[in-house]
Amino acid sequence: MRIRNIVTSTLAAAVVAATATMAAAQSYPTKPITMIVPWPAGGSTDVAMRAIAEGASKILGQPIVVDNKAGASGTLGPATMAATAKPDGYTVAQMPITVMRLPLMQKVSWDAEKSFTYIIHLTGYTFGITAKADGQFKTWQDVVTYAKANPGKVTYATPGSGTSLHIGMEQIAEAAGIKLTQVPFKGGAETNAAVLGGHTMLQADSTAWKPLVDAGQLRLLAIWTADRSKIWKDTPTLKELGYPFVFDSPFGLAGPKGIDPKIVQILHDAFKKSLEDPATIAALERYDMVPRYMNTADYNKFVKQVIEQETAALSKIGLLKKD
């Protein structure tokens, strides 16, 4: 009899818990949602994510509060979320590819496949290499020529070690037969200041450099998209320069592991509608970004593909961690 009572009590508790979870999912959201942007305020990622969040908040009926948590090449925010946030749908984060790449390069506190609940894939970047407009480099070939004569002397600013900008530049350098020296920063505001102030000779970053390029203070030497930009039509792509690369470091949104699938669906639907909003599309276009939507299932498959691709790329340039 006692065993039967224990079993009955356990089943009852499970039913109560399941009912409570279902009720929470049905009423979600009932309070503001925190969205971690793991880059400094004012950069292209921050501006894009705020625009997407604004559209989603209108659909969800609750504010989405942006928390800029920059550091560790865009992984500090997601790592903090994975370690401390409740899986209740009230904390989400932008997920840069560094979340999948850094575990392949060094020991980290998270597992890219197991520590997060992937929700929706959103967009990608336009990356480019800039130099000071009145500096010595007028074309990318000028950089290659100088670097071959002065190995390691060409410095370039990135938003952090292990980012797509860092890995991309190393792949380009290897293909060109030159050696460059990376100088890591936290984000676009710092990399802009570095190249503009002459602290580095080049900058590799996303379109936070746009105002300075448009104002004629920085020169855009190369762009990393598949085709030439509609905004900077005179700038050659890497492929046009002879390199077999396209880098756009696509990203999405995730929460800590264990979020109820019903809540994931609500978030997915709200952010998908925001991506389709003309106001969001216009905000992305200002930084030469376009929607790259994937649903939850496809995004999870994509994460596995990225890990496989990054493993191969890092192995080729000697940055894969040693077990």
Side-chain angles (χ1 to χ4, degrees):
M1 181 67 73
R2 184 180 177 188
I3 293 174
R4 183 184 299 171
N5 288 340
I6 292 171
V7 171
T8 302
S9 298
T10 302
L11 287 172
V15 169
V16 169
T19 303
T21 300
M22 187 178 298
Q26 288 173 345
S27 62
Y28 173 88
T30 59
K31 61 182 181 180
I33 297 164
T34 296
M35 183 175 73
I36 297 170
V37 174
W39 306 101
S44 57
T45 308
D46 179 64
V47 172
M49 290 305 295
R50 285 176 189 272
I52 296 169
E54 184 177 351
S57 69
K58 294 174 184 175
I59 297 155
L60 292 167
Q62 291 289 342
I64 297 178
V65 181
V66 173
D67 178 13
N68 292 98
K69 199 176 291 293
S73 302
T75 63
L76 176 62
T80 302
M81 177 184 72
T84 63
K86 295 178 181 178
D88 55 8
Y90 288 101
T91 305
V92 295
Q94 186 248 4
M95 300 294 283
I97 277 183
T98 39
V99 170
M100 296 131 218
R101 180 184 295 132
L102 250 59
L104 304 173
M105 300 176 66
Q106 62 191 55
K107 186 176 180 181
V108 297
S109 62
W110 69 91
D111 183 303
E113 293 188 67
K114 298 177 182 177
S115 300
F116 305 100
T117 301
Y118 291 93
I119 297 166
I120 182 173
H121 193 274
L122 297 169
T123 183
Y125 299 97
T126 287
F127 289 142
I129 305 169
T130 71
K132 200 172 179 182
D134 58 1
Q136 67 190 97
F137 300 135
K138 307 304 180 188
T139 67
W140 174 250
Q141 187 55 47
D142 291 342
V143 176
V144 173
T145 300
Y146 182 87
K148 285 185 175 180
N150 301 274
K153 294 288 182 66
V154 176
T155 56
Y156 67 96
T158 73
S161 295
T163 58
S164 294
L165 283 311
H166 171 213
I167 302 304
M169 284 294 278
E170 291 306 307
Q171 288 181 264
I172 294 165
E174 195 230 4
I178 58 177
K179 181 169 178 55
L180 307 174
T181 299
Q182 184 214 193
V183 182
F185 294 91
K186 287 185 178 180
E190 292 185 5
T191 61
N192 276 339
V195 70
L196 199 60
H199 307 297
T200 62
M201 300 169 80
L202 301 173
Q203 170 198 39
D205 212 330
S206 59
T207 46
W209 37 250
K210 179 183 186 295
L212 296 172
V213 170
D214 291 349
Q217 294 178 272
L218 293 181
R219 183 186 303 276
L220 186 57
L221 302 180
I223 209 154
W224 296 10
T225 46
D227 302 303
R228 286 203 181 198
S229 167
K230 294 178 182 178
I231 300 175
W232 302 285
K233 297 178 181 178
D234 294 333
T235 301
T237 65
L238 291 176
K239 284 190 171 183
E240 288 176 309
L241 292 170
Y243 306 101
F245 304 126
V246 174
F247 303 115
D248 63 357
S249 196
F251 63 83
L253 191 77
K257 68 177 180 180
I259 299 178
D260 187 294
K262 293 183 178 67
I263 291 177
V264 172
Q265 189 66 50
I266 291 168
L267 285 165
H268 165 275
D269 293 350
F271 278 88
K272 181 176 185 291
K273 287 179 181 176
S274 178
L275 269 187
E276 296 165 349
D277 188 325
T280 301
I281 293 170
L284 293 177
E285 284 179 347
R286 285 200 294 273
Y287 286 89
D288 210 30
M289 301 164 76
V290 295
R292 281 192 58 182
Y293 164 74
M294 290 182 209
N295 64 28
T296 303
D298 289 342
Y299 190 15
N300 276 284
K301 292 176 186 175
F302 181 67
V303 168
K304 296 178 186 294
Q305 292 171 4
V306 168
I307 291 170
E308 291 175 3
Q309 292 166 358
E310 291 296 323
T311 300
L314 292 169
S315 177
K316 185 175 181 181
I317 58 176
L319 292 177
L320 199 64
K321 73 178 179 183
K322 307 290 190 296
D323 292 328

